[in-house]
Amino acid sequence: QVQLVESGGGSVQAGGSLRLSCAASGRAFSDYSMGWFRQAPGKEREFVATISWSGGSTKYADSVKGRFTISRGDANNNFYLQMNSLKPEDTAVYYCASGRQKYGLGARNQENYSYWGQGTQVTVSS
């Protein structure tokens, strides 16, 4: 059974940092791209960052570029989102997701992901 479990969310003041983790099981996740998405209250879920199956390529939403870093763990069954210089507009539920196709380079569209975690809340206060 494929499972993705996020952790590391919480409340932080503007300018602070958080590191989100996604523990993956039930699949050879090292063969697939991974992504992070977020959904703020009253808004649609949006792309945040993605990393290719090899870890050699990353993409970011313009709103987080330069502040967030996506990475894969050594075992490749865990991946992370380091979030620095957090802003109140980063407040959202953050989801990790696994790519649909093997050896993917990472995509911004949600349709390219087949498995999703339950989400972890991030709240940034001003």
Side-chain angles (χ1 to χ4, degrees):
Q1 181 181 358
V2 176
Q3 192 173 19
L4 300 173
V5 180
E6 302 95 338
S7 62
S11 296
V12 65
Q13 289 192 325
S17 298
L18 284 173
R19 188 192 195 208
L20 304 184
S21 299
C22 179
S25 60
R27 193 190 202 193
F29 284 95
S30 58
D31 292 344
Y32 295 86
S33 65
M34 304 292 281
W36 285 97
F37 292 78
R38 67 185 182 187
Q39 186 168 20
K43 295 187 177 181
E44 294 187 352
R45 189 161 59 185
E46 64 176 6
F47 167 76
V48 176
T50 185
I51 188 166
S52 63
W53 72 277
S54 67
S57 175
T58 57
K59 301 183 182 78
Y60 296 92
D62 288 343
S63 59
V64 307
K65 200 174 295 182
R67 299 188 298 123
F68 290 12
T69 303
I70 189 171
S71 62
R72 307 188 78 114
D74 290 342
N76 275 327
N77 277 350
N78 295 282
F79 68 112
Y80 308 97
L81 185 69
Q82 177 67 43
M83 305 186 296
N84 298 328
S85 302
L86 283 161
K87 304 175 180 179
E89 50 263 43
D90 294 319
T91 295
V93 177
Y94 284 70
Y95 300 89
C96 61
S98 179
R100 190 176 297 279
Q101 292 185 329
K102 254 190 175 183
Y103 309 126
L105 297 180
R108 298 172 184 266
N109 294 331
Q110 299 181 46
E111 294 74 16
N112 291 101
Y113 296 85
S114 53
Y115 296 100
W116 294 81
Q118 293 300 305
T120 185
Q121 176 70 46
V122 171
T123 302
V124 185
S125 58
S126 58

